[in-house]
Amino acid sequence: MSVTILVIDDEPPIRKLLRMGLSTQGYAILEAGNAAAAQAVLGRDRVDLVILDLGLPDMRGHDLLRAIRARHPGLPVVVLSSRDDEGGKVEALDLGADDYVTKPFGMAELLARLRAALRHQLAVQGERPVFRVEGLSVDLVRRIVRVDGAEVKLTPREYDFLRVMVMHAGKVLTHAQLMQAVSVSSDPQYLRVYMRQLRQKLEADPERPRILLTETGVGYRLRAPDDEPALDPPAAGTAATPAAARTDP
């Protein structure tokens, strides 16, 4: 059975573009041009994932996301946002969105985000015993962290942060989500200190991280594991919007 995606966007050209691009990858597509139509579809049809544009004509996108989370808590949601709406991205993620893609975006990037969101849904009941990406390996059972085969000693708090990010690898986590998961001070500077310490221990070049990635103004993302499709941005020219330009989130 194919995966069914509900596209919620008030712009017909965008819906058409997404329908064409996603259907060629084997996804079944349902469409809604506003919040009311989206809620009707969700109440009537089986939906496996939602792509939600935050700018809707009849309801604030965040309010619709809150309603979706209340009625369908396990349904993956990837939001579409504008380039300069950092506050909107953070709010959507804190409300339970699985990821976001900034307009204009590349289809390859969107597909990677969708695959990641679907993987998280399947893995929600458990976690991989050993996580590997580049030279980093994290044994979640024995609590052993290695870089290029050499064991790295982390403080208990550093390990707590790393474990949370491993459990959500490939997915952006906001500052608030990370601090709540580890039960630490709500001061973002506190989180920056621990991320800097982790990069010093885990990255080949802490000033140019390849594993613990910063989502500017939003939070952090741990690079997807080596045995799954990475979330690297697509090459230039693979645009999925009429602007024909890709934006890194």
Side-chain angles (χ1 to χ4, degrees):
M1 182 181 296
S2 63
V3 171
T4 299
I5 296 177
L6 171 59
V7 176
I8 307 172
D9 194 302
D10 65 333
E11 299 182 57
I14 297 296
R15 294 202 308 272
K16 179 180 179 180
L17 200 60
L18 289 172
R19 180 176 69 249
M20 294 173 60
L22 296 175
S23 62
T24 61
Q25 301 299 313
Y27 295 112
I29 306 301
L30 299 173
E31 299 178 32
N34 55 47
Q39 290 174 312
V41 172
L42 288 168
R44 181 184 67 235
D45 299 310
R46 179 184 68 84
V47 174
D48 299 302
L49 183 144
V50 171
I51 297 176
L52 171 62
D53 182 11
L54 293 178
L56 298 175
D58 58 338
M59 178 186 288
R60 189 166 177 261
H62 296 88
D63 293 333
L64 177 58
L65 174 58
R66 185 181 287 108
I68 292 173
R69 274 288 161 261
R71 296 187 178 184
H72 310 276
L75 180 63
V77 178
V78 174
V79 301
L80 304 180
S81 66
S82 63
R83 175 195 292 268
D84 57 355
D85 187 20
E86 290 183 355
K89 297 170 189 173
V90 172
E91 183 180 356
L93 292 165
D94 284 340
L95 285 171
D98 291 83
D99 210 334
Y100 70 89
V101 177
T102 301
K103 290 183 176 181
F105 52 86
M107 184 58 70
E109 178 186 5
L110 176 62
L111 288 168
R113 303 288 195 232
L114 300 185
R115 290 194 297 269
L118 290 167
R119 288 198 303 268
H120 289 308
Q121 182 192 40
L122 294 174
V124 72
Q125 298 300 324
E127 57 192 42
R128 60 179 62 238
V130 179
F131 170 90
R132 294 185 178 87
V133 60
E134 292 206 353
L136 172 68
S137 72
V138 183
D139 188 325
L140 294 171
V141 176
R142 297 188 293 166
R143 296 173 64 95
I144 295 175
V145 179
R146 290 188 173 90
V147 174
D148 295 330
E151 187 171 346
V152 176
K153 297 297 184 183
L154 300 181
T155 67
R157 188 67 77 191
E158 288 170 349
Y159 180 82
D160 288 343
F161 276 117
L162 181 60
R163 180 178 180 277
V164 170
M165 297 192 73
V166 165
M167 292 172 64
H168 299 86
K171 175 181 176 181
V172 62
L173 295 173
T174 67
H175 300 108
Q177 288 172 329
L178 276 167
M179 290 185 290
Q180 182 178 13
V182 186
S183 301
V184 298
S185 166
S186 59
D187 183 356
Q189 184 59 35
Y190 190 88
L191 178 58
R192 294 189 190 100
V193 169
Y194 277 100
M195 287 299 156
R196 184 164 58 248
Q197 293 173 186
L198 281 171
R199 283 171 171 162
Q200 290 291 336
K201 295 181 178 182
L202 306 180
E203 297 276 4
D205 183 353
E207 299 303 317
R208 297 176 177 80
R210 291 179 51 82
I211 300 173
L212 291 167
L213 309 176
T214 297
E215 296 280 341
T216 303
V218 179
Y220 297 92
R221 185 194 303 268
L222 179 66
R223 183 171 166 176
D226 288 337
D227 59 346
E228 295 179 0
L231 296 182
D232 294 333
T238 56
T241 68
R246 177 187 55 80
T247 300
D248 295 336

